[in-house]
């Protein structure tokens, strides 16, 4: 385990896409950030091995200059997602995802991450699937988090702190 001591405003658990984007945003807000990960950030975890599938409403894709279904609104995307979740999903969280993903995808484009738009995404009423290589996404997000000033630590694990009572 790499030993690192200090005081940080934010400690992010996990160096995958979600953790690195959280670290970036925290740094943008002025926080000092440590990202702790079980392995080497950029070389371990689910993001690097994923297919990198992301869903984005057609109107959001068009807003950043991509060819997509103009009739595919965020409202339609929201409805599809809630229906696919059999109305069990947290609708406020789904709304946040649907309305925020376009901005995040635009940021990825600005950072030079390459992707393709699928004209037919499984489980969707429109071709709102975007494919980003997990390796490419991980590399770019690691670079961006480090450039923003996040510190990275590997070899992190959580040990049980309580015993199971019989």
């Amino acid at each position: 385990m790499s030993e690192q001591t200090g005081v940080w405003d934010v400690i992010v658990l996990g160096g995958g896409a979600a953790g690195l984007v959280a670290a970036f945003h925290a740094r943008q807000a002025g926080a000092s950030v440590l990202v702790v990960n079980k392995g080497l950030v950029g070389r371990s975890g689910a993001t690097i091995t994923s297919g990198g599938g992301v869903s984005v409403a057609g109107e959001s894709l068009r807003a950043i200059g991509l060819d997509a279904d103009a009739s595919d609104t965020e409202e339609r995307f929201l409805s599809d997602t809630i229906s696919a979740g059999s109305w069990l999903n947290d609708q406020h969280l789904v709304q946040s995802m649907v309305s925020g993903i376009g901005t995040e995808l635009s940021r990825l484009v600005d950072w030079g991450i390459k992707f393709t738009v699928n004209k037919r995404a499984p489980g969707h009423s429109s071709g709102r699937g975007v494919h980003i290589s997990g390796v490419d996404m991980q590399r770019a997000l690691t670079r961006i988090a480090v450039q923003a000033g996040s510190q990275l630590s590997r070899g992190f694990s959580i040990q049980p702190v309580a015993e199971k009572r019989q």
Side-chain angles (χ1 to χ4, degrees), residues 15-83:
L20 293 171
V21 169
F24 169 80
H25 284 293
R27 286 293 301 140
Q28 293 301 108
S32 59
V33 178
L34 175 66
V35 177
V36 295
N37 197 57
K38 64 184 173 243
L40 184 61
V41 175
R43 303 230 181 239
S44 65
T47 300
I48 202 157
T49 60
S50 76
V54 179
S55 296
V56 185
E59 69 181 352
S60 298
L61 291 171
R62 292 178 66 81
I64 58 175
L66 300 171
D67 182 31
D69 180 1
S71 69
D72 183 32
T73 63
E74 286 186 354
E75 291 77 22
R76 194 167 147 202
F77 182 19
L78 177 67
S79 177
D80 279 357
T81 304
I82 291 171
S83 293

Side-chain angles (χ1 to χ4, degrees), residues 65-144:
L66 300 171
D67 182 31
D69 180 1
S71 69
D72 183 32
T73 63
E74 286 186 354
E75 291 77 22
R76 194 167 147 202
F77 182 19
L78 177 67
S79 177
D80 279 357
T81 304
I82 291 171
S83 293
S86 300
W87 295 87
L88 298 173
N89 32 26
D90 180 329
Q91 293 179 26
H92 295 290
L93 186 58
V94 174
Q95 176 64 51
S96 178
M97 177 203 63
V98 165
S99 62
I101 191 66
T103 302
E104 291 301 322
L105 184 63
S106 178
R107 188 171 287 117
L108 296 178
V109 169
D110 292 345
W111 290 339
I113 297 175
K114 305 289 186 224
F115 59 89
T116 57
V117 177
N118 300 326
K119 296 296 182 186
R120 205 70 188 131
H124 293 276
S125 64
S126 181
R128 63 176 68 104
V130 174
H131 179 265
I132 305 168
S133 157
V135 172
D136 291 344
M137 183 185 306
Q138 184 70 45
R139 282 186 190 141
L141 293 177
T142 301
R143 176 177 43 84
I144 295 305

